[in-house]
């Protein structure tokens, strides 16, 4: 079970890298308003969502530790909002800058929650 948990954690980090990297590549267009939802954002959010849910399930099934359900619920809601925003705006070119900014801020908020909420 621990190996599966570690594999899911690596995939979760890859999803985070994709989501954050996709956002960061669009930041240069903030001044001009030429931003879009690139596939890295959409697929990164979906990867985060799926691997996060599976990771919690594996941890709880395998007695690999305690899970703070309130923290997980907050993180789940945030990644769902990110994914819905990305899905709704995926075909718009350009996307409103506040939408992409919200995706970026929520992504960073999820990272901060993961690191500092003990």
């Amino acid at each position: 079970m621990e190996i599966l948990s570690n594999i899911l954690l690596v995939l979760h980090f890859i999803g985070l890298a994709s989501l954050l990297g996709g956002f960061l590549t669009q930041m240069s267009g903030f001044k001009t308003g030429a931003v879009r939802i690139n596939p890295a954002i959409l697929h990164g959010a979906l990867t985060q969502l799926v691997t996060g849910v599976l990771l919690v399930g594996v941890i709880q099934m395998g007695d690999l530790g305690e899970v703070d359900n309130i923290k997980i619920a907050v993180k789940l809601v945030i990644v769902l909002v990110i994914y819905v925003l990305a899905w709704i705006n995926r075909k718009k070119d350009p996307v409103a800058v506040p939408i992409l900014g919200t995706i970026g801020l929520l992504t960073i908020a999820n990272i901060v929650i993961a690191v500092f909420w003990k």
Side-chain angles (χ1 to χ4, degrees):
M1 249 342 162
E2 190 173 341
I3 291 173
L4 179 59
S5 174
N6 288 337
I7 290 169
L8 287 171
L9 186 60
V10 168
L11 292 173
H12 197 65
F13 287 152
I14 290 170
L16 171 64
S18 176
L19 177 57
L20 187 60
F23 166 73
L24 292 175
T25 60
Q26 295 297 309
M27 282 186 64
S28 61
F30 272 24
K31 289 182 182 176
T32 63
V35 295
R36 57 191 274 288
I37 303 296
N38 56 31
I41 293 172
L42 188 63
H43 297 295
L46 184 59
T47 301
Q48 286 264 279
L49 177 62
V50 171
T51 58
V53 169
L54 291 174
L55 196 55
V56 169
V58 167
I59 289 171
Q60 288 185 337
M61 282 189 330
D63 260 349
L64 298 175
E66 289 294 318
V67 176
D68 184 348
N69 289 321
I70 296 172
K71 173 184 173 180
I72 297 302
V74 169
K75 288 178 59 60
L76 178 63
V77 167
I78 290 173
V79 77
L80 280 172
V81 169
I82 292 169
Y83 184 72
V84 167
L85 283 173
W87 179 260
I88 290 171
N89 295 287
R90 73 189 186 283
K91 293 187 178 179
K92 294 180 182 172
D93 194 18
V95 173
V97 171
I99 290 174
L100 193 67
T102 301
I103 289 172
L105 287 175
L106 288 174
T107 300
I108 293 168
N110 236 358
I111 295 167
V112 169
I113 290 169
V115 171
F116 290 108
W117 187 336
K118 299 291 176 180

